[in-house]
Structure formats: structure tokens, C-alpha cells
Amino acid sequence: MNETTRLLPWAPERTGEAAPVTPAPITKPPKPARPGLGALLYLPLRLAWRQLRAERARLLSAMAGVMFACVLVFMQLGFRAALFESATALLGGMRADIFLMHPLTTASFRPEGFPRSRAYQTLADPDVVEAVPIYLAQTTWRNPADGSRRSIQLVGFDSDAGALRFDGIEAVADALKRPDTIAFDRRSRPEFGPAAAMFEAQGPFDVQLGGRMMELAGLVSIGASFGADGNAVLSETNFRRIMLNRSASVIDLAALKVRAGADIPTVVARLRATLPPDVMVMSRPELVAHERAYWENATPIGFIFAFGSLMGLIVGMVIVYQILFSDIANHIREYATLKAIGYSNGFLSRVVMGAALILAIIGFIPGIIMSTWLYGVVGGATFLPLRMELERGLTVFGLIFGMCVIAGLLAMRKLRDADPADMF
Amino acid sequence: MLAPVALHGITFAYGEGELRRPVLRDVQLDVAPGEIVLLTGPSGSGKTTLLTLIGALRAMQEGSARVLGLELAGAGEGARVALRRRIGFIFQNHNLLGFLTARQNVAMALEMQGTLDEADRLARAGELLASVGLADHTEKLPAKLSGGQRQRVAVARALAADPGLVLADEPTAALDKQSGSEVVHLLRDLAKKRGAPILMVTHDPRILDIADRIVTMEDGRIVSAAA
């Protein structure tokens, strides 16, 4: 005692603030030990889990709700990415390093022509080894099975040029040099008819393109995109045989190949400085981004899918909120009892948050499994490149997590109704 | 010795203005250490309100109440929550968490202490349940227990954290004569052993024999205190 007062001159015994009597044994001070940080988070989480687990049916419906939101968001984001990716399938499939395009071209399905001489001018640059003029046009294709007609994208270029990498182009390059031959895109939509299957079964056969009979001499793999449901590849000469009013000197795109080891951005910058402003010089990623930006900005597609995702999240949030809210409402007396025996509001709030997080996790896991499966099924049916990607998985988990946190915060307000004074 | 409960001039009213309805008027009451006080009186006489004030479940209005050394007049929420941890509560209904076993329910009262780890908490909960005669029922959910057994779990929970005071509100109201009597006698024996005073609101004439003192309230006032 003396030691204490000597060390602590402001101790209550000295200042006379405390009653001088020795405290009664019954009024022992509260134990100073407090639950540690682990217990602070673990105990509410465990209580939340035990509470959720106790009612299987409700837990399953909550899980289904989160899973539903999860699948909805995955599908929306998947469609969005797939559509943007497929919008650029044609350009993405070209092997060139650098492209030239008319500045007024907004999207590849509606190109603006520019002089072919611009393509050859670039050969003056020491790093450009090849310049390939490309002709783009859409014409009608007659389905070889039932005769119905559809619009098809024609891509005319010198098939010997190494600047274009459509899968399978090497095998058909020689055949395309013959007059009136085309290579058909096997990943075109099925409305174009079973041309690929027919070719594989019986070899080359004649198809009608733009009112002209052409020999289907081979298959390439490009993929349907927004602007074109199907593609056909052919030589420059054969292109002009179909598109009679097109002149060879006006091209729609030029593909350049640079010397191995050359720095592409440097070459692009140099070409931009050299060429007149009637052409745009773009690297391949820039061209793909330009095409993508058109579909993102000029169409409501981006908005539609963002809106769809948001709706999915709101529905999921309402479901989670309902589950958490009714869990609190049904246990209001027990919550009030816990408050009465000394549990703080903070603890009970952590129980609600814990329940929200548990729902986020146990709903997300079946959600991502089901979405992966659906990507396969839907991708097969729509020919859209749907794939589960790590980055998208993390994004969706973040969104679902946030959804559950907001639902938890809303449900927490109900805790105020748990008044321990009503318990007696 | 300092009284665990010392009430002085407690006045309390519900509502405001024209609707103001006083329920407690100038109540004086002391409870000595280890004393068992029964609070009786007609409904509406303010017994339960008094109990909630002593239990720090309600904010004080007028007067002074020292409970386990804490002055409740003007005490903040944090201080009141801390005080509640040192009080054992027994309610009219057992209010056990339906999704936890008897043992886990009792252990819940120990979690806030932070001095015991999980294994110790469960072991201590088991001992307490054994002391209320439920050694064979520790792993049962409340739904699988009879009314008397549930209330005995509630007694074990109230006593788990070694409370300095036990507050009970009609603990026998939902029980038949025999189990009601068993529960209150058990409560009395365990509280006496620990030296914890009990303040119990009851209408039940069958359990008056456990009291050291019976306090009768009427119309918000204490009208008689029979020993």
C-alpha cells in the first residue's frame, strides 16, 4: 500500500476521492481480462454459424439466394466479356503487328476505304518487312442445305502473306490462289448451314456468294462477331470477282509485319509521323481496343449487362437481408437475453455480419461451380467464348461479399429492437 | 459491509407530458450481502421496473442506485453492459438459445469474461449443470428438456459467471408446483454457497419460504417489509 501511494501520488487514496473504507468483498472490481481479438471475431462467427446451421431449410434457401445472385452476375459479366471478345474475333485473329485504318472507320464491319498506296509507303520504314492490303465487305451467302440467305463477312487478302493468322489458313493458302475459291469460317453461326460438316464429308463443293458460284475449298477458324455472323476468306482477285464495284486501289485495312526484334510502339510512332492524316496507325491491341470501344460506347450493350448484374445483386441482397432479418426477428428474445447478460451491441452486430459473410461464402462456392458448368453449356449453344477466369471470379466474389455486407448492415438495425428491459 | 444494492429515492415514470405515468415513487431499498429478498405486490405496482433499473437494463431518471459498487445514475452504456456481466439474470421464460445445447448455453455466459478458454468454459458449464442436477442432459437442445429442466439450465447460466447479485423475475411462473419449488430451492442453495444476494419478483405464494425478507410494493411504493 505504501509502495503504491509513493509511486502513484495521484492514487485515489491520496486525493481523497475514494471512500477510505476497505471495499466489501462482494464489490470486487470487474475482471480486467477481456476477450482477445481472435475471440472477438471468432466467437460471434461461431454463434452465427450455429444459428444458421440450426435451421437447414432457411440456410438452404439463403444459400440458393446467394447462389442465384452469383450465377446471374457471372452470366452477365461472362456474356459481356464474351460479346466484346467476339466483337473483335475477326481483328483479333489477324497475325499482323501494326494496322492501318481510315480515321473515319468506327467498326470493322463498316469500313471506310483508303488508298492502297499508304500500305506500300510503310515499306519505306526499315523495320516494316511486309504490308498486306485487306479488303472487307459483306455480301449474301446462300445456305448450301436449305437455300436461305444470310449476310456474310468477306475478308480478301493475299493468302500467302504471313501477316494474317486465321487458324488453318496455311492449309488452304494454295487452294485460295485458284480462281473462284473461298475458305469458310467453321465457327460461323449454324444458320449458315452445315458447310463445314459437308466439306469434311465430301471435300470441296460449290456455294453461292453474292450471286456468284464459288468453290468452298477449305476451312478456317475465326468465330462469329457482332458485326458478322459468319466469315469467308478469299484472295484479293476472288474478292473483286464477287464485289464487282470495288477497285483494287481502295483498301479497308492494311496489316503490317515488322522485322523480328523491332520495337512496335517505336515503329508505330514513326509511321504516324511519316504518313498523311488520312490513315490511322495502330498496334494490334490498339485496334482491338478501338473496335471494342465502339461496341461499348456506341451501343447500350455495356450498360445492359452492368444493369443486369446490378439487378442480380439487388435481388440477392434482398434475399440475404430477409434471411438475416427474420433470423434476428425470430431470435429477438434470445438476443435481448444476451444483451441482458452483458453482451454488447458490437458483439451482436458481429454475429449478424458473421452470418452475412458465411452466406456470402457458402453461396459463392456452389455459384461459381454452377456458373462454370453453365458457361460450358451456354457457350456451346451460342458460340460465344464463355470462360471462367480467375479475375472475374475474384470480382464476383467481391461483389457478392459487398452485397452480403450491405444486407447485414441493413438487418443490423433490427438489433435495436432487442431491448433487454423488455425481458422482465 | 457495503450493501450490494442500495437504492435511494428512486422515482421513475413512463411517457411524457399528459401521458406521464409514474410507476416508482421515492423507493428506498437495501439488499445485504447474501440476503434473499422477495418482491411481491399486485401487477402494475412497479416491481419489474425496479428490477430492470437495478439490472442496469434501463436508464435511471431520478434518485440514486448503487449496485455492486457502481452508481447507476448517469452511468453510460459501456459501464452498464460491464455491470450486467456481474449480475445473474433469470427470466420468466428460460430464454435459452434454441440452437445451442444446455452446456453451450451456460458457456455463453462465460464467454464475455475472457479469462477462460473454450475447454475450461465447457468444463465449468458441465460442473454447473451437474450442480443443478442436469449432468445427464448437458448435450441436449433446450427443446428436448422439460420446463423445469430448462429453468434449471437458466439458473446454471445465471450463476456461471460468479455473479455478485442474482435478479429473478417470476422464475416459477411457467412451472408446476414441484419443479418450481425445486428450481427456487436450488437457486437459493447455490446462491447462499456463493454469498450472492438474490432479488426475486414473484407472485407465487408457494415459494415465499425461501425468503430472508419479503418486500411488498403497491402503486410504486414499498408498503411493507416483513422479515
Side-chain angles (χ1 to χ4, degrees):
Chain A
M1 182 64 144
N2 287 339
E3 183 76 355
T4 321
T5 45
R6 192 171 56 78
L7 289 171
L8 305 169
W10 60 87
E13 291 87 343
R14 288 208 144 185
T15 56
E17 280 172 14
V21 294
T22 49
I26 207 77
T27 61
K28 63 186 172 188
K31 287 169 186 159
R34 301 271 301 142
L37 185 67
L40 220 58
L41 299 174
Y42 169 67
L43 290 177
L45 198 65
R46 189 180 65 173
L47 190 66
W49 169 237
R50 284 175 171 171
Q51 181 173 333
L52 286 172
R53 192 184 54 181
E55 294 205 43
R56 293 285 152 80
R58 189 183 294 169
L59 178 62
L60 280 178
S61 65
M63 224 171 106
V66 177
M67 193 177 97
F68 168 79
C70 198
V71 168
L72 208 59
V73 174
F74 263 123
M75 294 321 285
Q76 298 287 339
L77 292 184
F79 281 139
R80 183 173 184 270
L83 287 174
F84 286 139
E85 191 178 319
S86 75
T88 58
L90 178 62
L91 297 176
M94 298 180 177
R95 186 185 295 178
D97 304 312
I98 300 174
F99 291 88
L100 303 185
M101 200 164 81
H102 194 280
L104 287 178
T105 300
T106 50
S108 62
F109 76 96
R110 200 166 50 211
E112 200 77 38
F114 62 94
R116 181 173 55 177
S117 49
R118 294 281 174 263
Y120 296 136
Q121 272 176 299
T122 63
L123 291 170
D125 189 287
D127 281 337
V128 177
V129 294
E130 197 174 18
V132 186
I134 301 170
Y135 302 85
L136 299 171
Q138 298 209 346
T139 188
T140 52
W141 156 275
R142 194 177 289 284
N143 183 328
D146 62 14
S148 64
R149 297 204 301 172
R150 273 185 92 80
S151 222
I152 191 169
Q153 177 76 45
L154 296 182
V155 187
F157 65 101
D158 177 3
S159 54
D160 264 349
L164 291 189
R165 165 190 54 186
F166 296 123
D167 283 341
I169 191 78
E170 288 82 5
V172 296
D174 281 334
L176 291 182
K177 286 177 195 156
R178 284 186 277 124
D180 291 332
T181 54
I182 63 150
F184 180 68
D185 172 15
R186 66 168 81 237
R187 288 172 60 205
S188 300
R189 285 194 54 85
E191 287 81 356
F192 287 85
M198 284 164 74
F199 177 80
E200 271 156 10
Q202 67 187 55
F205 61 97
D206 281 358
V207 290
Q208 194 183 331
L209 259 180
R212 188 180 179 93
M213 293 310 286
M214 305 288 285
E215 180 193 345
L216 198 161
L219 296 172
V220 289
S221 188
I222 299 172
S225 56
F226 276 3
D229 291 341
N231 302 289
V233 172
L234 67 178
S235 69
E236 298 174 27
T237 322
N238 287 330
F239 179 87
R240 282 200 307 281
R241 284 188 171 130
I242 299 176
M243 308 305 293
L244 296 169
N245 57 348
R246 290 289 297 263
S247 131
S249 62
V250 177
I251 64 174
D252 302 302
L253 200 63
L256 313 184
K257 194 175 173 184
V258 300
R259 191 172 49 78
D263 181 45
I264 292 173
T266 316
V267 182
V268 168
R270 211 155 50 212
L271 290 174
R272 274 182 191 148
T274 322
L275 290 171
D278 61 353
V279 285
M280 273 194 298
V281 185
M282 285 187 284
S283 64
R284 195 154 70 98
E286 280 169 350
L287 180 76
V288 170
H290 178 269
E291 181 88 356
R292 200 189 143 107
Y294 169 78
W295 293 107
E296 271 190 39
N297 302 327
T299 67
I301 293 162
F303 174 77
I304 287 168
F305 289 110
F307 190 74
S309 308
L310 187 69
M311 284 297 119
L313 288 173
I314 289 176
V315 170
M317 192 176 80
V318 169
I319 294 173
V320 173
Y321 170 74
Q322 285 287 345
I323 299 290
L324 295 175
F325 182 89
S326 57
D327 248 351
I328 298 175
N330 289 355
H331 292 108
I332 199 88
R333 292 189 68 80
E334 286 84 351
Y335 277 64
T337 307
L338 288 179
K339 277 194 190 174
I341 67 175
Y343 280 83
S344 61
N345 268 322
F347 181 93
L348 296 178
S349 302
R350 289 196 292 278
V351 172
V352 176
M353 275 335 243
L357 301 189
I358 290 169
L359 290 180
I361 291 166
I362 63 173
F364 179 78
I365 291 168
I368 192 170
I369 292 171
M370 186 161 172
S371 302
T372 309
W373 176 75
L374 273 176
Y375 275 179
V377 173
V378 177
T382 59
F383 297 89
L384 285 169
L386 285 168
R387 279 184 309 276
M388 184 57 72
E389 280 158 8
L390 177 69
E391 196 189 329
R392 190 180 307 150
L394 293 175
T395 307
V396 174
F397 183 70
L399 289 170
I400 295 290
F401 197 81
M403 170 189 97
C404 288
V405 166
I406 293 172
L409 287 172
L410 289 174
M412 248 188 229
R413 296 179 311 163
K414 180 71 182 163
L415 279 179
R416 283 191 225 134
D417 292 351
D419 184 357
D422 294 340
M423 295 312 300
F424 281 127
Chain B
M1 231 192 217
L2 208 64
V5 179
L7 309 180
H8 185 77
I10 301 272
T11 297
F12 191 89
Y14 290 114
E16 276 176 34
E18 298 256 312
L19 295 171
R20 191 177 151 88
R21 191 166 51 82
V23 286
L24 294 176
R25 304 162 206 259
D26 198 23
V27 171
Q28 324 280 342
L29 179 67
D30 281 0
V31 178
E35 193 182 19
I36 297 181
V37 177
L38 258 54
L39 210 51
T40 65
S43 11
S45 58
K47 311 180 295 289
T48 297
T49 305
L50 189 61
L51 210 59
T52 57
L53 285 175
I54 297 170
L57 301 174
R58 222 181 260 291
M60 294 271 292
Q61 290 177 350
E62 273 176 59
S64 147
R66 284 190 80 82
V67 178
L68 300 180
L70 178 79
E71 174 54 60
L72 286 175
E77 174 72 14
R80 291 198 282 142
V81 170
L83 174 65
R84 283 184 223 152
R85 290 181 194 152
R86 296 160 58 208
I87 298 177
F89 290 94
I90 300 170
F91 307 97
Q92 199 165 336
N93 295 306
H94 54 84
N95 292 342
L96 299 172
L97 293 171
F99 52 88
L100 296 182
T101 63
R103 186 202 287 270
Q104 287 168 340
N105 263 296
V106 176
M108 283 293 290
L110 294 164
E111 277 182 8
M112 281 291 106
Q113 303 287 333
T115 46
L116 299 172
D117 63 25
E118 179 70 8
D120 290 341
R121 282 199 294 265
L122 289 175
R124 178 140 172 69
E127 288 165 23
L128 278 153
L129 286 168
S131 72
V132 296
L134 293 176
D136 297 335
H137 304 284
T138 54
E139 306 311 321
K140 286 190 182 164
L141 294 175
K144 300 263 191 257
L145 298 172
S146 72
Q149 287 171 329
R150 284 180 216 161
Q151 202 56 299
R152 280 191 268 163
V153 177
V155 168
R157 179 174 64 180
L159 295 172
D162 268 328
L165 170 68
V166 176
L167 299 179
D169 185 35
E170 310 211 26
T172 59
L175 303 179
D176 60 56
K177 180 179 190 320
Q178 187 180 349
S179 43
S181 159
E182 267 173 32
V183 166
V184 288
H185 282 93
L186 206 55
L187 177 59
R188 181 191 63 182
D189 297 345
L190 291 170
K192 284 280 182 204
K193 210 181 288 175
R194 289 167 164 76
I198 301 176
L199 188 60
M200 186 187 295
V201 166
T202 186
H203 280 116
D204 190 347
R206 300 168 300 190
I207 59 166
L208 297 181
D209 59 313
I210 67 158
D212 294 328
R213 184 152 61 105
I214 297 172
V215 174
T216 309
M217 287 186 74
E218 213 174 296
D219 211 12
R221 289 193 179 84
I222 289 177
V223 291
S224 81

